[in-house]
Amino acid sequence: MDWQKWQDRYDTADSPLARRLVTVQERIRLALEDCPPDPLQVVSLCAGQGRDLLGVLPGHPRGQDVRARLVELDPRNVDVAAEAARSAELHSIEAIAADAALLDHYDGMVPADVVLICGVFGNIVDRDIERTINACTQLCKAGGRVIWTRNRKTPDRVPLICD
Ligand SMILES: C[S@@+](CC[C@H](N)C(=O)[O-])C[C@H]1O[C@@H](n2cnc3c(N)ncnc32)[C@H](O)[C@@H]1O
């Protein structure tokens, strides 16, 4: 999979991915509104170009309170995310080219208020879905939010994930 090209699907109006982005952004908006009035930390696993978070922070009342680390393997996507953060003057948002499975990459940012795991569970095997969910106890603060997605294609793993 060319993960930079994959991002182009977001640009087709009303595509499933474009609709999913609207839902994820709404969840992020609500999560930020619910956070305590302190500095906030967000981490995104396999962040892609960060369109979800970076589409919400500019103009959000909590936008400048957020420190975030976007962990993404494809350096082309990392560059796009970093440039989007820079041009929105979100100086506390960093995008790094790294393996999201290695917890060291979240040092100093976790436990976070919001953990984004979007577009991940459809691309990894069940055992890794379970390991990722278990890791959330380290990645996410008590009372924090994990925002995740999974398609409903067979085999539907949403019930497993919810369990
Ligand atoms: C389906 S896309 C989702 C991107 C983004 N979260 C979104 O929802 O737009 C999956 C992303 O995971 C990245 N990726 C794959 N393996 C990775 C790994 N081990 N660590 C970090 N990123 C990875 C890919 O480069 C790709 O951008």
Side-chain angles (χ1 to χ4, degrees):
M1 177 67 78
D2 179 332
W3 289 116
Q4 187 189 36
K5 272 216 172 86
W6 180 89
Q7 293 277 332
D8 294 345
R9 300 182 197 172
Y10 277 123
D11 298 326
T12 304
D14 212 35
S15 64
L17 208 56
R19 290 204 305 273
R20 191 195 82 174
L21 181 62
V22 170
T23 303
V24 170
Q25 288 179 333
E26 185 56 20
R27 293 290 166 177
I28 294 172
R29 237 174 245 121
L30 293 172
L32 295 179
E33 277 164 20
D34 270 1
C35 284
D38 306 315
L40 302 176
Q41 291 176 181
V42 178
V43 293
S44 178
L45 286 61
C46 303
Q49 297 178 351
R51 294 189 188 214
D52 40 23
L53 183 66
L54 294 170
V56 169
L57 294 183
H60 190 285
R62 304 299 311 274
Q64 291 294 336
D65 299 337
V66 173
R67 282 176 64 219
R69 185 169 302 148
L70 313 183
V71 182
E72 159 64 30
L73 208 51
D74 187 323
R76 298 168 302 170
N77 286 337
V78 173
D79 287 348
V80 173
E83 179 50 36
R86 255 193 309 276
S87 51
E89 301 195 359
L90 295 165
H91 302 299
S92 302
I93 312 303
E94 54 176 332
I96 63 167
D99 184 352
L102 301 180
L103 294 184
D104 286 359
H105 295 312
Y106 307 98
D107 274 359
M109 294 297 293
V110 294
D113 298 275
V114 179
V115 176
L116 301 176
I117 312 180
C118 299
V120 176
F121 293 147
N123 294 298
I124 58 177
V125 297
D126 289 356
R127 190 159 168 275
D128 287 338
I129 292 178
E130 204 169 326
R131 281 159 36 123
T132 305
I133 292 170
N134 287 338
C136 286
T137 56
Q138 287 169 266
L139 294 173
C140 190
K141 270 183 194 165
R145 302 285 173 88
V146 177
I147 297 173
W148 57 274
T149 65
R150 172 60 158 95
N151 64 60
R152 305 305 298 262
K153 285 183 201 148
T154 307
D156 181 3
R157 288 302 185 231
V158 169
L160 173 83
I161 295 165
C162 290
D163 278 353

